[in-house]
Amino acid sequence: MNTLTLLPFIVLIAAMFLMTRSAKKKQQQAANMRNELQPGSGVRTIGGMYATVKEVNEDTVLLDAGPGVELLFAKNAIGAVLTDDEYNRIVHGIEHDLKSDVVPDDASSLTESDEPAADAAAASDDKAVDLGKKDADDEQADKAESAEAKADDEPKKTDGDSDAK
């Protein structure tokens, strides 16, 4: 057989191999995560419920979903094991000090001053800054000037009846 006719089959087999390999890796990571569950860990089930692990058995997990609410789940139903900070933020609304983690939206928050009133007064005394925007009248005048300059630079075209010989 010609190698050119075998090429599509080889590419198809290679693509299938790569897809199954990545799926197996994800399954293995999920299994490792579920096997490392410990009592006290915060988890999210595949249904979206947040709870704390109370007891871990071979195939099941006992979750504490609230005061007096204990639920028995299969280990396969655990979607993610959360960090303590993430679990507290989602379930209890407790935020840790995020000031060191957050990037400011604008440059004004990068420089903190002790006198915000003085900064506001100084900012209001500044003159308007030209940001390069032009009015519509100015733009039309600029276009007209550039068209005239361009017309002066170009040689005049004639219909061939010139007096110069």
Side-chain angles (χ1 to χ4, degrees):
M1 275 187 121
N2 190 359
T3 57
L4 191 58
T5 58
L6 290 176
L7 187 62
F9 293 112
I10 294 171
V11 171
L12 182 64
I13 291 170
M16 289 174 55
F17 173 74
L18 291 175
M19 284 190 267
T20 57
R21 192 175 117 208
S22 66
K24 283 183 181 180
K25 278 186 179 180
K26 287 180 183 180
Q27 287 176 346
Q28 185 64 34
Q29 288 175 345
N32 288 340
M33 179 256 322
R34 290 180 186 120
N35 288 334
E36 294 175 1
L37 284 175
Q38 296 178 353
S41 300
V43 296
R44 182 183 69 236
T45 65
I46 58 173
M49 184 181 74
Y50 294 92
T52 305
V53 176
K54 189 168 186 177
E55 185 179 315
V56 179
N57 298 319
E58 189 171 326
D59 292 332
T60 60
V61 178
L62 184 65
L63 300 179
D64 182 16
V69 180
E70 293 179 353
L71 303 167
L72 187 64
F73 276 85
K75 274 189 177 180
N76 291 339
I78 304 300
V81 177
L82 307 172
T83 63
D84 290 337
D85 288 338
E86 186 178 13
Y87 181 78
N88 288 331
R89 180 182 58 81
I90 293 170
V91 176
H92 303 294
I94 299 172
E95 297 281 339
H96 73 286
D97 185 20
L98 294 176
K99 283 200 170 211
S100 61
D101 298 345
V102 175
V103 176
D105 290 339
D106 59 350
S108 64
S109 62
L110 292 175
T111 57
E112 296 181 18
S113 76
D114 296 334
E115 301 173 9
D119 290 342
S124 64
D125 291 342
D126 291 342
K127 294 183 180 179
V129 177
D130 181 20
L131 298 175
K133 294 183 179 179
K134 296 182 179 182
D135 293 338
D137 296 333
D138 292 339
E139 289 180 14
Q140 290 175 354
D142 289 343
K143 287 180 183 177
E145 288 176 8
S146 64
E148 289 175 8
K150 189 175 182 183
D152 291 341
D153 292 342
E154 293 179 3
K156 304 287 184 200
K157 294 183 180 178
T158 61
D159 54 339
D161 295 333
S162 66
D163 293 334
K165 292 185 180 182

